[in-house]
Amino acid sequence: MQIHDLPYPDPGVPDARSGPRFLWWLFRNQLDGQLKSLAWGLLHFASVASLPFCVGVAVQAAVDRSGGRLALAGGLMALACVGNAVGDTFLHRSAVTNWITAAARVQQLLGRKAAVLGSALTRRVAAGEVVAVSTGDVEKIGWFVEALSRFTAAAVTIVVVTVGLLVYQPALGVVVAVGLPVLALAVLPLLPRATRRADVQREKAGRATELASDTVAGLRVLRGIGGEDLFLDRYRRASQEVRHAAVRSARMWSLIAAVQVLLPGLLLITVVWYGVHLARDGRIDLGELVTVYSSVMLLTYPLRHFEEIAMAYSFSRPSARRAARVLSLERAMDTAGTRAAETPAGDLYDPRTGLCAPSGSLTAVVCGDPDAAGRLAERLGGHAAQEGTSVLLGGVPLDELPLDSARTAVLVQDKDPVLLSGTLRELLDVPASGSVAPGAALEAAQCQDVLAALVQGSLGAEDPMDARITERGRSLSGGQRQRLALARSLVTDPEVLVLDEPTSAVDSHTEARIAQGVRGLRSGRTTVVFTSSPLLLDRADRVVFLHEGTVVAVGGHRELVRTEPRYRAVVTRETEEETASSAALRAGNGGRHPDEVPDGLRELETLEKIEETA
C-alpha cells in the first residue's frame, strides 16, 4: 500500500482485545511495507557499519605503504557511502509511508466504527476521547509501527557487527560483545517510571483541553453571568498542572538520553584503553585498533533506535489501548443484514412502547422524560443503546436490513444536531431522494432571516448558498442552527423522518410557521416529531402520549388536553400540586374543573391568533 492508494478499500477487522494485540494486528497487516523498510534499513546500517572496516584498511595500508590496498579501501569506502545514501533515502521514504498508512488505517477504522454506532457512540465514549484518538493517538500508533522496522534493522546490524568484531579481533570483540547488551538494556529500569509520567502528562493535558473547549463553547453564557474570571483561573491551574507534569516527564526522558550518551562513551574509553595496551604488546595492528574503535563509535547510531523504540512504545501503548477500546464497541442491536437491501414502506411500530406512526401521516409524540424521548427516537432509527425487540417498518424489522438500507429508510435528527463548517450549499449536499429542493426545505424551515445573516457575515457571497457557516455554526443563534439542521433533514426526504424537539429554540410565531411548512412539505411521507409544543401538537394528524415508557393515550391534541390530566400536565407544565388540585375540584364539580373550559379556550384562542398572524 502506497500513500497515493489511500484510503484502503477495506481496512480490515482489527484485533481490539487489547492495545498490544491491536499494535501487533497493525504490524501484520502492513507486513509488506515493514519488510521493505527492514531491507532498506539493513542496507543503510550495514553501509554505516562497514565504514570503520574501510578506514582501518586504509590506515593499515598507509602504514604498510601499500598503494593497492589504499585504492581498494577508497573504492570500498565509496561503495559504502553510496549504499548509505541510497539506504537512508529509501528507509526514510518507506518508514514515513508505514507511518502514514498505519495512521490512515486507524482513522478509517474509527470512522467506520463511528458510522456503525451512530449517536450511540457518544453515549458510551466521550466525544473528546474519540477526537483525541482520531488525531493525536493515531500519530503515536503510526510512530511505533514505522519505528519497529528501523529498530529491527538496527538490532540485526549490531548483532552482525558484534559477531564480526569477535571474529576480526577476539580480544577487543569480547569487550564490545559484553558492553553492547549492557548499553541496550540499561534504560529498561527507567522506562516504567517514564511511561507513568508521560501518561500523567497526557491525562492532565486532556483535562485542560476539555476545560478549554467547554469554556469556549459556553463563553457567551459565562460573560452573561460574569464567570469568565472563574473559568480562566481554573484553566490557569490546569495549564500549570500540565506544565509541571511535562517538566517531570521531560526530566525522566532526559535522564534516559543521558544514559544513552554516557554508557557508549564509557565503552569507547574502555575499548581505546584496552586497545592501546594490546597495540603496545604487539597483539593487534594499528589498523585493527582503528577499525574496532570506529565500529564502536558508529554503533552508537543504531543504538539510539533502542531509545526511540522504547519511547515510541511507551507513548503508543496507551494510545493503542484507547483506540482498541473504541473499536471494540458493538451495536446493542447489530444490523445483521439478513434481508436483501431494500427500503421498506409502511407503518413505523415500536413493540417495546406500543408506539405506532401510520404511513404518510404526521405523528407527534409527547413524553414527560426528555432522556427517554431521546432514547426512543434513537431506537426508531435503529440506533438502540440497549438490546431489545427491533422496530418494525412496514412489518420489516430494521435490524434485519443492511445498515445502509435502514438508515436510508429512517432518518433521525437529534435534539442537538451538528452543523459542519463550509458553505450552505455543502451543508445541504446530502444523500437525498431529489424530490425536495433546497429552496423549498429552507422555506419550510423558515430560514429567510438565517440566509440574510449568512450573506451579511460572508464577504463576497452574493448567493446565500455560497455563504459560509463557521465551525458548528457558532456565529448563529441556537434557533438559526436548529432551523438549518431541520432544512438539511427535509432535503434528505427519507421515507420516515424522526425529529427530536426540532423547534425548542425558536419563538412561537416562527414555530407555528415551521409546523405548517413541515406538514405541507412532508405530505405523503411518515414524520414523527417528539415535542411538547402545543403549536406542533395541534398540527399533527395524531398525538401519542407516553408515560413511563408505554403508550397510554392516542388522539388529537385538543382532545387529550381535555381528557388526559397527565398529558395536560406535560404540555402545559402543570405541577403535581396543580394537577391534584384540578382533580379534586373536578371531582367536586361533576367531573369538570370550573376553570377548565376557560383554560382550554384560552389555549385555543392563542393558537388561532398565532395562526392568523402566520
Side-chain angles (χ1 to χ4, degrees):
M1 171 64 69
Q2 298 297 319
I3 296 177
H4 60 75
D5 296 326
L6 294 174
Y8 287 93
D10 181 12
V13 180
D15 185 350
R17 290 176 290 177
S18 66
R21 289 178 182 271
F22 180 62
L23 290 174
W24 175 243
W25 177 84
L26 274 177
F27 178 80
R28 287 189 291 108
N29 278 268
Q30 296 194 213
L31 192 57
D32 291 343
Q34 296 293 334
L35 292 177
K36 289 180 182 178
S37 182
L38 176 60
W40 291 118
L42 288 174
L43 175 61
H44 169 58
F45 290 121
S47 301
V48 172
S50 64
L51 286 174
F53 174 76
C54 300
V55 172
V57 172
V59 170
Q60 192 62 41
V63 172
D64 297 340
R65 299 181 181 276
S66 174
R69 281 188 294 164
L70 187 61
L72 175 63
L76 292 175
M77 189 174 296
L79 184 62
C81 291
V82 172
N84 181 22
V86 173
D88 189 25
T89 300
F90 285 93
L91 171 62
H92 178 75
R93 179 185 179 90
S94 59
V96 171
T97 300
N98 289 336
W99 187 338
I100 294 177
T101 51
R105 186 188 293 272
V106 177
Q107 286 182 324
Q108 278 189 252
L109 290 171
L110 292 170
R112 186 171 65 176
K113 180 61 65 174
V116 169
L117 292 176
S119 58
L121 175 61
T122 52
R123 290 184 178 272
R124 302 166 68 179
V125 180
E129 181 174 350
V130 178
V131 174
V133 172
S134 61
T135 53
D137 285 338
V138 296
E139 293 187 4
K140 296 180 179 66
I141 293 171
W143 178 26
F144 174 75
V145 171
E146 68 91 9
L148 192 57
S149 57
R150 288 190 288 111
F151 162 74
T152 304
V156 171
T157 302
I158 290 174
V159 171
V160 171
V161 171
T162 303
V163 173
L165 289 177
L166 284 171
V167 175
Y168 179 69
Q169 181 45 250
L172 289 177
V174 171
V175 176
V176 176
V178 173
L180 285 179
V182 174
L183 298 183
L185 302 177
V187 298
L188 292 182
L190 302 176
L191 288 179
R193 182 175 296 181
T195 301
R196 287 194 299 270
R197 291 189 179 185
D199 290 342
V200 171
Q201 177 194 351
R202 283 191 292 272
E203 181 181 354
K204 291 184 178 296
R207 291 177 182 174
T209 302
E210 291 178 2
L211 180 60
S213 300
D214 292 341
T215 303
V216 172
L219 187 59
R220 183 179 300 178
V221 177
L222 291 175
R223 286 177 175 173
I225 63 176
E228 306 103 311
D229 293 337
L230 174 63
F231 274 78
L232 184 59
D233 289 339
R234 289 182 181 178
Y235 182 74
R236 283 198 185 103
R237 290 194 297 269
S239 178
Q240 289 302 312
E241 290 179 0
V242 174
R243 184 179 68 83
H244 290 308
V247 170
R248 295 185 73 246
S249 178
R251 286 173 180 170
M252 186 54 62
W253 288 113
S254 63
L255 177 60
I256 292 175
V259 170
Q260 291 290 305
V261 173
L262 175 63
L263 294 184
L266 293 177
L267 179 60
L268 276 174
I269 293 173
T270 303
V271 168
V272 171
W273 175 80
Y274 187 53
V276 168
H277 281 282
L278 293 177
R280 285 179 177 178
D281 295 339
R283 297 169 58 184
I284 63 172
D285 296 330
L286 181 60
E288 292 175 336
L289 175 59
V290 172
T291 299
V292 175
Y293 169 79
S294 302
S295 298
V296 175
M297 183 178 64
L298 290 179
L299 281 179
T300 58
Y301 169 59
L303 273 173
R304 295 174 188 170
H305 290 78
F306 284 79
E307 177 190 356
E308 182 190 12
I309 197 65
M311 293 181 63
Y313 181 72
S314 66
F315 279 96
S316 66
R317 183 175 55 83
S319 297
R321 184 174 63 246
R322 286 191 291 266
R325 180 191 172 207
V326 175
L327 295 175
S328 63
L329 298 176
E330 298 292 343
R331 288 169 52 89
M333 299 169 63
D334 196 14
T335 302
T338 55
R339 290 177 178 264
E342 60 174 315
T343 305
D347 296 346
L348 183 67
Y349 176 67
D350 178 31
R352 181 183 296 183
T353 60
L355 170 65
C356 180
S359 176
S361 65
L362 174 59
T363 302
V365 181
V366 177
C367 182
D369 184 358
D371 293 334
R375 291 191 295 269
L376 176 56
E378 291 178 353
R379 191 163 64 251
L380 293 179
H383 310 293
Q386 299 176 351
E387 294 184 0
T389 306
S390 175
V391 173
L392 306 177
L393 178 59
V396 178
L398 289 180
D399 279 355
E400 295 183 5
L401 291 172
L403 189 58
D404 292 343
S405 299
R407 291 184 172 173
T408 300
V410 183
L411 172 66
V412 179
Q413 177 179 302
D414 295 334
K415 185 180 301 182
D416 186 21
V418 175
L419 300 181
L420 301 179
S421 59
T423 64
L424 181 58
R425 193 185 310 278
E426 294 170 341
L427 176 70
L428 301 180
D429 184 16
V430 294
S433 66
S435 301
V436 178
L442 291 168
E443 183 178 356
Q446 299 299 307
C447 294
Q448 293 83 355
D449 63 315
V450 185
L451 299 181
L454 288 175
V455 171
Q456 185 177 3
S458 299
L459 297 177
E462 299 180 358
D463 187 349
M465 299 298 291
D466 295 327
R468 295 199 62 82
I469 301 172
T470 57
E471 179 188 3
R472 299 179 68 89
R474 297 191 188 280
S475 60
L476 303 173
S477 67
Q480 290 173 329
R481 290 195 299 269
Q482 203 169 53
R483 281 177 281 164
L484 283 180
L486 176 59
R488 179 178 58 187
S489 299
L490 294 175
V491 166
T492 304
D493 189 35
E495 183 65 30
V496 178
L497 176 60
V498 180
L499 303 172
D500 189 3
E501 295 288 354
T503 59
S504 59
V506 301
D507 60 82
S508 299
H509 292 278
T510 304
E511 189 175 27
R513 291 192 291 267
I514 290 176
Q516 183 176 357
V518 171
R519 180 180 177 85
L521 196 63
R522 292 288 299 172
S523 178
R525 293 286 202 181
T526 305
T527 307
V528 180
V529 182
F530 287 82
T531 183
S532 59
S533 168
L535 296 170
L536 287 177
L537 295 171
D538 193 57
R539 287 287 186 180
D541 296 317
R542 68 200 305 260
V543 178
V544 179
F545 176 56
L546 278 78
H547 182 68
E548 296 182 353
T550 306
V551 175
V552 295
V554 179
H557 166 59
R558 306 187 187 200
E559 173 191 356
L560 292 177
V561 166
R562 292 187 175 92
T563 60
E564 178 55 61
R566 292 171 296 183
Y567 175 84
R568 182 172 57 252
V570 174
V571 174
T572 63
R573 278 72 171 178
E574 233 179 38
T575 64
E576 294 182 0
E577 291 79 5
E578 292 172 339
T579 302
S581 176
S582 298
L585 291 173
R586 192 178 295 107
N589 195 37
R592 170 172 290 182
H593 191 295
D595 294 331
E596 178 177 313
V597 174
D599 284 345
L601 288 175
R602 276 197 297 271
E603 181 192 29
L604 298 181
E605 289 174 358
T606 301
L607 289 172
E608 291 171 356
K609 288 180 180 179
I610 293 177
E611 290 172 358
E612 291 175 0
T613 58

